[in-house]
Amino acid sequence: MKTPQPRPPASILRRLIESEASGGLVLLAVAVLAVIVANSPAADSYFTVLHAYLGGLSVLDWINDGLMALFFLLVGLEIKRELLDGQLSTWPRRMLPGLAAAGGMAVPALIYVAVAVSAGSGEALRGWAIPAATDIAFALGVLALLGPRVPVSLKVFLTALAIIDDLGAIAIIAVFYTASLSFVMLALAAVSIAILIGLGRLKVTALWPYLLVGVVLWWFLLESGIHATLAGVALALTIPIQRSPGKPETKASPLHRLEHGLQPWVAFVVVPVFGFANAGVSFAGMSASALLEPVPLGIALGLFAGKQIGVFGSAFLAIRAGLADRPAKASWLQLYGVALLCGIGFTMSLFIGLLAFPTSPHLQDQTKLGVLCGSAIAAIAGAIVLGLARSGRAGVLRGSAASPPSTSA
């Protein structure tokens, strides 16, 4: 009789999917609560607290500039791990989610620009990047509701796509949404980054020196004109990683230790707090025609129509051209359903919207309206399509025989 073998630990990507999915459900509840509060008798208190000042920054600024630095730190850790030691560590693995992410960023942005230009709204053009983002937590939360009917390979594909999407969003924020610069503070930030790199070169594995310098870096970037949350990304890229190809991730790696420690806090505290603070939009005095304004219309169309066209179209062309394989045990209809879910842009879209219209509460409210409507429609449509679809060759949109897996959990 064979001795049963111990079950290998779940991969870090699988744990990420599971925790992000749970966090997405919490985020959904928090977003609904924020809208309810913003349209209730408690609305005045809600907005008053958010705009109260503490230590030179409003509560909302502390959330968006401070707490969200932890979100970007986790995003940076995920990007570095996946590129060096995970599902994106080789070019064949990067091909399908990379091309899909590129299409899923370009097409929504083009649709938004077309709407803004046709309406003759020059101010609205600053929001071109808002519908380019995908909210991994929300999207995986919807997948979690569908259970085993969605192949794991598609969940991995969505996670990898969203990670690459986040990388693109970070680049957009750094390049296009930077205010006037203080070169003295930038120089001090560069010194901080050099110290972080030096710690890595000296093979320092304790996390506290990195985190201490990271706080200083955050302050310098806050004062420099570059958005302070990018300090989280810069810090993440300097955290050492101990590679373990083909093996469960070692707990000795500083990057993995920090990621494991941050994940639950970001998923269940940071992002829900951000969602509650930023999703609240008052509908007082707002008519249905408000959805036809350039900003909300461009965002909603970009998220719903642009994402599905860009993601599914790019993936379809890449697979048909032989550049990548279709995710294992997934039908074309299921892949299309996931492309629809990529239209859930909640967290990063709201964040970019705040950067695009920093001095216009009216356009910020329009941004929230467009993001909420576009994300809701994409989520509902994606869930319906995936609920109706079946795996493998049984999909309604039949393709070639199921290809070998391009990704696995």
Side-chain angles (χ1 to χ4, degrees), residues 112 115-128 294-295 357 363:
Y112 180 95
V115 171
V117 170
S118 64
S121 178
E123 187 179 15
L125 281 173
R126 278 190 56 82
W128 64 270
V295 170
F357 310 117
L363 290 180

Side-chain angles (χ1 to χ4, degrees), residues 36-392:
I36 293 173
V37 171
N39 292 276
S40 74
D44 287 342
S45 299
Y46 170 77
F47 291 111
T48 298
V49 170
L50 288 177
H51 293 96
Y53 273 76
L54 296 171
L57 293 176
S58 69
V59 172
L60 188 61
D61 287 336
W62 277 114
I63 293 170
N64 294 340
D65 293 348
L67 271 184
M68 285 299 283
L70 297 177
F71 168 79
F72 278 89
L73 172 58
L74 181 63
V75 168
L77 293 172
E78 292 169 354
I79 290 171
K80 180 173 181 177
R81 170 178 48 76
E82 289 301 317
L83 287 175
L84 295 181
D85 196 35
Q87 290 297 325
L88 302 175
S89 58
T90 63
W91 282 109
R93 287 181 170 183
R94 296 170 190 163
M95 188 64 71
L96 185 62
L99 291 173
M105 296 187 78
V107 177
L110 290 173
I111 288 177
Y112 180 95
V113 169
V115 171
V117 170
S118 64
S121 178
E123 187 179 15
L125 281 173
R126 278 190 56 82
W128 64 270
I130 296 172
T134 293
D135 191 307
I136 181 176
F138 243 136
L140 288 174
V142 175
L143 285 183
L145 295 176
L146 295 169
R149 284 176 289 181
V150 180
V152 173
S153 63
L154 277 182
K155 298 176 183 178
V156 174
F157 166 74
L158 175 59
T159 304
L161 183 153
I163 288 173
I164 297 173
D165 189 286
D166 284 342
L167 181 60
I170 289 167
I172 288 171
I173 291 170
V175 175
F176 296 101
Y177 295 109
T178 296
S180 56
L181 299 178
S182 167
F183 291 100
V184 172
M185 289 298 175
L186 276 179
L188 292 173
V191 171
S192 301
I193 294 174
I195 293 173
L196 289 169
I197 295 174
L199 291 172
R201 293 288 179 88
L202 293 172
K203 302 187 183 303
V204 175
T205 57
L207 288 172
W208 69 264
Y210 294 95
L211 298 178
L212 183 61
V213 177
V215 171
V216 176
L217 172 61
W218 175 84
W219 174 255
F220 287 149
L221 287 183
L222 180 67
E223 297 296 315
S224 73
I226 292 179
H227 204 273
T229 52
L230 295 180
V233 180
L235 172 60
L237 298 181
T238 64
I239 302 294
I241 180 173
Q242 182 176 331
R243 301 188 189 185
S244 54
K247 301 177 183 178
E249 291 77 2
T250 173
K251 293 182 179 179
S253 173
L255 185 145
H256 292 121
R257 294 203 320 267
L258 182 56
E259 186 177 12
H260 291 165
L262 274 178
Q263 180 64 50
W265 290 99
V266 171
F268 298 108
V269 178
V270 173
V271 173
V273 168
F274 171 85
F276 182 73
N278 290 280
V281 55
S282 174
F283 299 123
M286 188 181 296
S287 65
S289 61
L291 279 171
L292 300 179
E293 294 291 326
V295 170
L297 181 61
I299 293 172
L301 286 177
L303 288 174
F304 176 63
K307 278 292 185 179
Q308 60 174 295
I309 294 171
V311 171
F312 183 74
S314 298
F316 180 85
L317 292 175
I319 293 169
R320 285 301 195 194
L323 299 175
D325 295 325
R326 198 170 72 199
K329 300 181 181 179
S331 68
W332 285 112
L333 189 58
Q334 286 177 317
L335 186 60
Y336 173 64
V338 167
L340 281 166
L341 292 186
C342 288
I344 305 174
F346 193 80
T347 304
M348 195 68 84
S349 290
L350 287 177
F351 189 83
I352 293 175
L354 295 172
L355 299 181
F357 310 117
T359 60
S360 177
H362 175 64
L363 290 180
Q364 288 180 8
D365 283 346
Q366 289 193 353
T367 295
K368 294 174 185 178
L369 183 62
V371 170
L372 290 173
C373 290
S375 296
I377 296 170
I380 293 170
I384 291 173
V385 169
L386 288 169
L388 295 174
R390 291 182 293 169
S391 62

Side-chain angles (χ1 to χ4, degrees), residues 24-45:
L25 298 178
V26 173
L27 184 57
L28 173 61
V30 165
V32 172
L33 178 62
V35 174
I36 293 173
V37 171
N39 292 276
S40 74
D44 287 342
S45 299

